[in-house]
Amino acid sequence: MPAANLIGTENHGFYAIMRNFQTERIALGSMAVGHCQTMLDLTFRYVNERLASGAAVDKQVIRQRLSMLAAKTEAARQLLYHCAWLVDQQRDAVREVSMLKALTGELVNEVAYSCQQFHGGMGYMRESPIERLVRDARVLAIGGGATEVMLEEVAKRWAPSP
């Protein structure tokens, strides 16, 4: 290959790809948090408007489950901001970003399945926004490194708390 076609430093392509993984995983974590928020917003609205047997579906158990998922989503959002800050500061954040990717990949699917459940049969209808969000959520635990791969990255970098 002609030297003019070389991108970056010769024999360092793998390292360039590895550096990009952190940005990709933050982007995927961001997508997952956004999906969670959208699904929760849709579902809170849906259960408050939907009638079943003449009464609103908005039951205490549903409100509490959605509230806990909202709390988990907010916690994930804060970890996302922290990871983005670490990378922006050019600090080693492989452990934290791997935590973010594993957490949000699993959380988005937990939120998706719960929200779809609360939509009942409408959750499976192609015209329902929740149906599309549920389908799209699945890949977020796989792309950019599967959850199990991310957890191994965390385990390799485990450091006891001070």
Side-chain angles (χ1 to χ4, degrees), residues 13 17 63 122 131:
I17 290 170
R63 287 192 311 268
M122 272 310 290
E131 185 273 339

Side-chain angles (χ1 to χ4, degrees), residues 32-42 44 70 73-74 77 111:
V33 168
H35 265 62
C36 289
Q37 190 65 59
T38 300
M39 289 185 289
L40 288 167
D41 290 346
L42 286 168
F44 269 113
T73 298
E74 185 57 33
R77 184 187 326 275
V111 171

Side-chain angles (χ1 to χ4, degrees), residues 147-157:
T147 299
E148 296 77 12
V149 173
M150 296 298 91
L151 294 174
E152 280 301 310
E153 291 299 317
V154 172
K156 285 193 278 187
R157 291 164 177 79

Side-chain angles (χ1 to χ4, degrees), residues 1 6-7 14 21 48 54 56 63-64 67 75 89 103-104 107 120 123 129-130 141-142 146 152 155 160-161:
M1 167 179 13
L6 183 65
I7 298 174
F14 177 75
F21 275 150
N48 283 310
R63 287 192 311 268
Q64 290 178 356
S67 294
Q89 298 298 307
L103 175 72
T104 58
L107 177 61
I130 199 73
I142 301 167
E152 280 301 310
S161 298

Side-chain angles (χ1 to χ4, degrees), residues 4-143:
N5 294 347
L6 183 65
I7 298 174
T9 306
E10 188 171 5
N11 298 320
H12 285 84
F14 177 75
Y15 301 105
I17 290 170
M18 291 301 291
R19 280 191 304 276
N20 188 56
F21 275 150
Q22 300 317 303
T23 304
E24 178 185 13
R25 290 170 180 162
I26 288 173
L28 289 165
S30 175
M31 289 171 61
V33 168
H35 265 62
C36 289
Q37 190 65 59
T38 300
M39 289 185 289
L40 288 167
D41 290 346
L42 286 168
T43 305
F44 269 113
R45 192 166 37 255
Y46 184 80
V47 298
N48 283 310
E49 295 171 356
R50 181 171 174 255
L51 295 177
S53 303
V57 175
D58 182 32
K59 303 286 186 212
Q60 182 180 15
V61 69
I62 294 173
R63 287 192 311 268
Q64 290 178 356
R65 188 147 164 214
L66 291 173
S67 294
M68 180 55 77
L69 292 171
K72 289 179 178 182
T73 298
E74 185 57 33
R77 184 187 326 275
Q78 295 308 313
L79 179 57
L80 168 66
Y81 292 159
H82 178 65
C83 288
W85 179 83
L86 287 172
V87 170
D88 186 57
Q89 298 298 307
Q90 299 181 353
R91 294 179 49 191
D92 178 20
V94 173
R95 181 173 154 256
E96 291 81 358
V97 171
S98 298
M99 286 178 177
L100 171 71
K101 174 65 177 63
L103 175 72
T104 58
E106 295 302 308
L107 177 61
V108 72
N109 283 285
E110 179 184 0
V111 171
Y113 299 143
S114 292
C115 289
Q116 187 177 45
Q117 179 77 20
F118 295 146
H119 276 77
M122 272 310 290
Y124 288 91
M125 300 298 153
R126 289 283 178 159
E127 67 268 17
S128 172
I130 199 73
E131 185 273 339
R132 176 62 186 261
L133 287 161
V134 170
R135 278 190 292 128
D136 290 347
R138 188 64 195 113
V139 74
L140 294 173
I142 301 167

